[in-house]
Amino acid sequence: MTDAQETAADSSLRTTGGAPPDDVEPAPIPLLEPREGVPPVITDDDSLAEVIAAFAAGSGPVAVDAERASGYRYGQRAYLVQLRREGAGTALIDPVACPDLSGLGEALSGVEWVLHAATQDLPCLREIGMLPTSLFDTELAGRLAGFPRVGLGAMVEGVLGFVLEKGHSAVDWSTRPLPEPWLRYAALDVELLVDLRDALEKELDRQGKLEWARQEFDAIASAPPPEPRKDPWRRTSGMHKVRRRRQLAVVRELWQTRDRIAQRRDVSPGKVLSDAAIVEAALSLPANAQALAALNGFGHRMGRRQLEQWQAAVDRAKGLTEAQLPAPGQPVTGPPPPRAWADKDPAAAARLSAARAGVSALAERINMPQENLITPDTVRRVCWEPPASVDAESVGLALAGLGARPWQVELVTPVLVSALTA
């Protein structure tokens, strides 16, 4: 980090807020510029080999970011990977032209990766052979440190005193060739990521939270890939309006048909058919394609062949037997919704109320969002089925069994013991 960046970071981390005096003109915040310009995109094996060698020979942590084409393409694959490391500079890699980056991943094994909101990028990086053995998540670090705004732009500006260019975060990164302004934006995303990491590490250490953060980062790095979601069609927006099982079957058939088409065409499912249109058809149960065409989302722009395709899905759902219809809701594996606790188990509802109040007070005291202190689901599960004998040891074991990290167990156990024995 340069002296100017050190000064900006230190002053920002000491800032308590408030406007400058009337007679003091606030200094303009400089727009961040790439230190070495925008590098060419790596699209062939020879250039990739050079990058791998350069980054293997670099020093210190490596900043890593990935751009996806959410809302444009099917799935969450990476369409650009950006890296920066001391001694190697910045690299922009096209994972469409170079789909196997396992060699790069191996070269960086044992190196700390710095990512912002790591859980968003790790799945697409895993697909192309890149997975960190250790990491530092600057977004999560900001949450643990109590920053009110933890987006990358806000963090770079507030901590390091530079403004990141905006405007290209939601573009179609599957576009080829990628425009130079987009590449500039992508390069800047890793320009100061290691500098931000260093400043946040100092702040976490100052607050006595650095070990907490390390435990969180280790948990992210060692987490297995998530299990495929069961019945993903149930997450269709507007599902709360759909009550009857026959209507649920229509949602399922339309969702699955849309998913097959989107996957085949490699486009976002929402570009094939909107969630609102699926729910509209489920509620209306149209008798034929003409009736379907009258519904919102199936209007005049849709051809007869498309309408017949969607109507066929509706008809398949209408032709199912009662035994083949989906259940009204997914099987509940945990506690019931908290709103039902007062009727089902008033004592559990009282425990949950006390626990929530205690956790909220603790989170405020240590200046951290409640969900980062302990997940709401963990609190609910312990309150719904507390240990047979409530004490610090049993509650701590229950928290650890639900995935709480040691620092969370240490802080939250006394709160829950108090709530469970009140």
Side-chain angles (χ1 to χ4, degrees), residues 47-375:
S47 300
L48 178 60
E50 294 177 5
V51 165
I52 292 173
F55 274 78
S59 61
V62 58
V64 183
D65 191 24
E67 305 294 347
R68 300 176 300 279
S70 303
Y72 297 94
R73 295 289 182 176
Y74 185 86
Q76 294 295 314
R77 67 173 295 185
Y79 284 93
L80 187 70
V81 174
Q82 308 102 277
L83 304 100
R84 183 175 180 85
R85 192 180 189 196
E86 186 69 30
T90 298
L92 304 179
I93 303 173
D94 180 357
V96 177
C98 302
D100 182 7
L101 297 185
S102 57
L104 179 59
E106 291 169 5
L108 296 173
S109 179
V111 175
E112 181 188 81
W113 295 20
V114 184
L115 302 100
H116 193 81
T119 54
Q120 295 183 19
D121 287 339
L122 289 180
C124 70
L125 291 170
R126 181 184 282 110
E127 287 182 1
I128 53 179
M130 295 184 64
L131 198 62
T133 52
S134 67
L135 63 84
F136 189 106
D137 185 333
T138 50
E139 192 233 24
L140 180 52
R143 291 181 182 278
L144 297 176
F147 283 82
R149 297 168 60 220
V150 293
L152 181 59
M155 295 288 285
V156 167
E157 182 174 337
V159 176
L160 300 179
F162 286 91
V163 174
L164 285 178
E165 287 188 18
K166 301 176 183 178
H168 301 303
S169 60
V171 299
D172 182 3
W173 288 95
S174 68
T175 301
R176 293 295 184 271
L178 285 164
E180 196 276 342
W182 298 12
L183 296 174
R184 175 189 176 85
Y185 165 91
L188 289 173
D189 271 358
V190 292
E191 183 79 13
L192 292 181
L193 208 50
V194 173
D195 296 342
L196 180 60
R197 171 236 179 273
D198 293 344
L200 290 173
E201 182 180 59
K202 289 180 181 178
E203 178 63 11
L204 288 167
D205 190 36
R206 187 187 70 80
Q207 294 186 22
K209 298 176 180 177
L210 184 56
E211 177 55 29
W212 305 354
R214 286 173 175 155
Q215 291 180 27
E216 292 298 303
F217 302 155
D218 288 346
I220 294 173
S222 61
E227 294 287 331
R229 192 181 296 277
K230 182 177 173 59
D231 291 346
W233 58 271
R234 291 185 184 271
R235 293 178 63 83
T236 303
S237 297
M239 277 290 288
H240 63 280
K241 303 175 187 176
V242 183
R243 303 295 176 86
R244 291 157 49 194
R245 294 178 65 200
R246 186 73 58 185
Q247 294 172 332
L248 289 172
V250 172
V251 173
R252 181 176 65 185
E253 288 293 334
L254 285 172
W255 190 98
Q256 291 175 345
T257 300
R258 179 183 71 172
D259 196 63
R260 287 192 295 270
I261 295 169
Q263 188 170 13
R264 186 177 71 245
R265 290 169 49 189
D266 190 19
V267 296
S268 170
K271 290 187 174 295
V272 176
L273 187 69
S274 70
D275 281 8
I278 289 177
V279 170
E280 184 85 5
L283 296 175
S284 301
L285 296 175
N288 50 48
Q290 184 177 358
L292 183 69
L295 302 179
N296 290 332
F298 297 93
H300 63 280
R301 294 185 178 181
M302 192 170 287
R304 189 186 71 174
R305 186 174 175 182
Q306 288 177 294
L307 285 169
E308 289 175 347
Q309 165 186 265
W310 300 123
Q311 183 62 39
V314 174
D315 291 341
R316 285 195 299 274
K318 291 165 71 174
L320 296 175
T321 66
E322 286 293 320
Q324 293 172 317
L325 296 177
Q330 291 177 299
V332 177
T333 56
R339 63 180 178 272
W341 286 31
D343 293 331
K344 291 179 178 291
D345 189 338
R351 291 194 295 266
L352 181 61
S353 178
R356 283 174 162 175
V359 168
S360 177
L362 175 57
E364 186 173 351
R365 190 161 66 249
I366 64 174
N367 191 27
M368 182 185 299
Q370 292 182 43
E371 63 271 18
N372 293 113
L373 172 58
I374 193 74
T375 68

Side-chain angles (χ1 to χ4, degrees), residues 378 382 385 387 393-404:
T378 297
V382 173
E385 290 188 71
E393 182 180 4
S394 63
V395 172
L397 287 173
L399 289 172
L402 292 168

